Amino acid sequence: MLRSVKGIKDILPDQAAQWHHIETVARTLATHYGFSEIRIPIFEFTELYARSIGGATDIVEKEMYTFPDRDGSSLTLRPEGTAGVVRAVLEHKLLDSPTTRKLFYLGPMFRHERPQAGRYRQFHQFGVEALGIEDPLIDVEIISLLWQFFSTLGLKDLTLHMNSIGTLDDREGYVRKLKGYLSSKLDSLCGNCQRRFTANPLRILDCKVPLCHETTQEAPILIDDLSEQSRIHFQAVLEGLSALEIPYIINHRLVRGLDYYTRTTFEITSPHLGAQSTIGAGGRYDGLVQVLQGPATPAIGFAVGLERVSLLIPENTSHAQIPLFFVAGFGETGKPAAFKLLHTLRQAGIRADTDHKGNTLKALLRTADKLKADYSIILGDDEVRSEHVILRNMQTKNQDTVHFKEITQRIHRGL
Ligand code: ATP
Ligand code: MG
């Protein structure tokens, strides 16, 4: 038997309703907050990701699906959405219009990682990006959208972690201090962090290896080194969150390893996901648009992993569906009349189905039960003669006779 690729999962029909629900909540809320949808391509030139995500990151170092195109150019399946959004914004000059500066996307991302619960090689993200707005209140808006997304879906026990990593200038002094602090402790860091010490020292702070965690326990704190402006920005974000009654904790370990990340960084975690506890993360990236050769443009966004969200949605959440009408036609004239009626119902926007193989009423009603139909519409030769159908409530088994002409009105009126 042929199988799917390791770490790549099917979303089966019994899960699809939940996915629709998640996506509908995402679309509706993002739209309410003034974000417009953008659909960016699944693959781009490798250079886009290499440039924007940066060489010394897990994604670019080992997680990208990269392949040569037939003309030899290098392509990569998108590992995240921000790079593609910024590329599209610059290519189509969307920065010029206030209606296209707040964007959201939904869709699959691809990373070659070790598959485990909550970590896949194809996974889905809901993300938003706001470009060109420096005001700390946009940071608050974005975090509140993320928070409302999770609460609308019924997720519980979440923690919002907040930090500010200042600007590149703010960090220069801090990174020196951090290296000074760690230089005598290199032996107490994991191999990865020993490498990071030169390539990306900030990332040592968020290493998950317990030894590294312990070693950095007393490390200098980044927010102590913020410039006055960054401090004021951070303070305004925190005050905005408090005003909206969104609870948070300050987490000094929350960092981003790349130069273009600035100021606000945040993450939302759940205690119910085991090792993969982060469901959504984001922050400011005031330097990225310039890295991609655009004008200096402040920007902020987040991305949420939807598989992890799906794992956290309470099981008893129902995804109310429109009722299903099963058309049970049998007999020489009943069957074709039923097929015509099925078509009429569907054209009238009513969810309806049948079983072409069923020839007896008993067999047809059995299928209606299996399909969990709410109602069956019974139509045999006798009914054709009298121009009536029998409407059967599949739960209560109550039956009612309805004239041909009245069926769709009756259904639309709520029966
Ligand atoms: P992690 O630390 O879990 O690897 P990350 O920092 O690589 O996460 P981001 O690039 O910030 O993740 O992506 C945002 C969100 O996307 C994550 O918080 C997570 O919910 C989700 N995510 C990232 N990688 C995967 C994956 N391989 N499978 C499923 N979800 C993922
Ligand atoms: Mg990762």
Side-chain angles (χ1 to χ4, degrees), residues 9 46 54 64 95 128 157 213 260 282 323 331 335 353 375 391:
K9 297 219 304 184
T46 305
M64 293 203 306
L95 281 177
V128 311
D157 308 323
H213 204 267
Y260 65 75
K335 222 168 160 64
D353 208 349
Y375 295 88
L391 189 61

Side-chain angles (χ1 to χ4, degrees), residues 68-89:
D69 201 351
R70 286 170 194 274
D71 67 1
S73 51
S74 180
L75 302 176
T76 293
L77 295 184
R78 64 183 188 194
E80 53 101 63
T82 307
V85 170
V86 173
R87 195 263 315 134
V89 160

Side-chain angles (χ1 to χ4, degrees), residues 377-413:
I377 296 174
I378 299 167
L379 184 45
D381 295 343
D382 290 348
E383 284 72 29
V384 172
R385 256 191 307 278
S386 67
E387 298 194 352
H388 282 75
V389 297
I390 298 170
L391 189 61
R392 179 185 171 92
N393 182 320
M394 295 302 290
Q395 199 124 68
T396 63
K397 313 254 187 302
N398 282 344
Q399 298 197 154
D400 201 359
T401 312
V402 185
H403 194 273
F404 274 4
K405 289 195 191 120
E406 289 173 6
I407 303 168
T408 51
Q409 290 105 298
R410 272 283 296 274
I411 292 175
H412 277 311
R413 276 206 314 268

